[in-house]
Amino acid sequence: DKSFFFSILYSLESQSEHHIGQTIVSYLSTHNVKTLHVDAFEAVSGFGIHGIIDGKLTQTGSLKYLEKEGIEIPEKAMKCDEKYKMQGNTVVHTAYDSQWLGLITVSDKIRVETEQVIYDLQKRNFETWMITGDHAKTAEIVGSTIGIKNIMSEILPEDKSKKVNELRNQGKIVAMVGDGINDAPALTRADLGIAIGSGTDVAIESAQIVLMKNSLVGVVTAIELSRATLRNIKQNLFWAFAYNSA
């Protein structure tokens, strides 16, 4: 039953702070969905969420998560999952009382300024990387759209900081840009953490630079301002040294 599936999904995702969950809730809120009470809610980092609805265990998340939980996935659903992922979508499955209930797809809306920002960074000889928990095919499609060739996909939240550290261990100076709860450890680990102002509080608290406008253009602006400031400092030191020597 479609309405029951929507109610289960909406009720469970309403408890989540993840941006995909919030997107689903925003979409379903326009469908006159009945809200059900959720007990024992818990988020499984990088996989999905679960809770108790009407005394039944309810799970929603990736295909990998439901399979890990022992849910039998119909062959048709498996084919749909692969099809949508090949199109660059994120697929969210839901199970109720140990039975697969349905799936919904979410596609990432790329910020209009992203491609230009990536181009500007690369033009300034910055190496750009994408670190994401998304499926490899989804990440590949997004990466090719915005011009990023270096992609780390299907990375668990707790492993993002490890990946940042791997880049640092290669002798790279790493600036990390993020806005979510899962980005916070990586923002802390990076040489420079940059948070989007519209992001979560924990991401903002973990970063050294916070972009007040909800735009990635601020990344390039921050770099240019930093370089100009350092250039002025060096000029002032030079003239101060020259004056004192004279």
Side-chain angles (χ1 to χ4, degrees):
D1 180 81
K2 186 176 178 180
S3 60
F4 180 68
F5 166 60
F6 278 176
S7 290
I8 290 289
L9 182 60
Y10 178 84
S11 301
L12 200 56
E13 291 290 7
S14 294
Q15 309 295 313
S16 175
E17 295 181 357
H18 196 279
H19 70 277
I20 290 179
Q22 292 173 354
T23 299
I24 292 172
V25 168
S26 176
Y27 170 74
L28 293 180
S29 63
T30 63
H31 286 68
N32 194 28
V33 178
K34 180 182 178 182
T35 305
L36 305 171
H37 180 70
V38 179
D39 289 312
F41 174 83
E42 185 178 351
V44 183
S45 185
F47 287 100
I49 54 179
H50 64 246
I52 306 296
I53 297 179
D54 290 337
K56 307 293 185 183
L57 178 62
T58 308
Q59 300 117 316
T60 186
S62 65
L63 176 65
K64 187 185 295 185
Y65 172 53
L66 262 63
E67 288 180 328
K68 179 171 161 285
E69 291 289 295
I71 305 299
E72 186 176 341
I73 311 296
E75 186 178 346
K76 185 177 180 181
M78 300 276 280
K79 290 180 178 178
C80 284
D81 183 273
E82 185 63 27
K83 171 189 170 185
Y84 290 128
K85 282 175 180 174
M86 291 296 287
Q87 295 172 355
N89 298 317
T90 297
V91 187
V92 179
H93 295 258
T94 300
Y96 178 74
D97 193 20
S98 299
Q99 299 293 316
W100 182 86
L101 203 59
L103 63 82
I104 191 169
T105 67
V106 180
S107 60
D108 286 319
K109 184 178 180 181
I110 300 173
R111 293 171 180 266
V112 293
E113 76 276 12
T114 303
E115 188 176 354
Q116 183 62 47
V117 169
I118 297 301
Y119 173 77
D120 288 342
L121 289 172
Q122 292 173 347
K123 191 170 66 174
R124 289 167 173 77
N125 296 319
F126 284 95
E127 196 175 294
T128 53
W129 288 73
M130 178 193 298
I131 305 179
T132 177
D134 286 343
H135 185 269
K137 188 62 182 178
T138 303
E140 182 184 328
I141 291 173
V142 173
S144 64
T145 301
I146 61 178
I148 293 182
K149 295 180 180 178
N150 303 307
I151 299 172
M152 297 178 180
S153 58
E154 300 184 44
I155 306 298
L156 294 176
E158 59 268 25
D159 290 334
K160 283 189 177 182
S161 60
K162 293 179 184 177
K163 293 300 180 182
V164 167
N165 210 39
E166 285 178 14
L167 294 174
R168 294 185 68 199
N169 289 338
Q170 294 173 22
K172 303 179 190 295
I173 298 175
V174 180
M176 168 75 183
V177 183
D179 64 354
I181 295 173
N182 296 337
D183 296 323
L187 288 168
T188 303
R189 177 69 67 178
D191 295 289
L192 174 65
I194 303 175
I196 309 296
S198 60
T200 59
D201 290 341
V202 67
I204 291 172
E205 290 173 5
S206 302
Q208 287 80 49
I209 293 178
V210 178
L211 305 178
M212 300 313 294
K213 292 184 179 180
N214 186 25
S215 171
L216 290 173
V217 174
V219 174
V220 179
T221 304
I223 291 170
E224 290 302 310
L225 284 173
S226 299
R227 285 180 167 176
T229 301
L230 187 60
R231 188 162 54 246
N232 284 342
I233 290 172
K234 288 179 177 178
Q235 288 172 352
N236 289 339
L237 286 172
F238 171 78
W239 288 113
F241 179 77
Y243 176 81
N244 288 329
S245 297

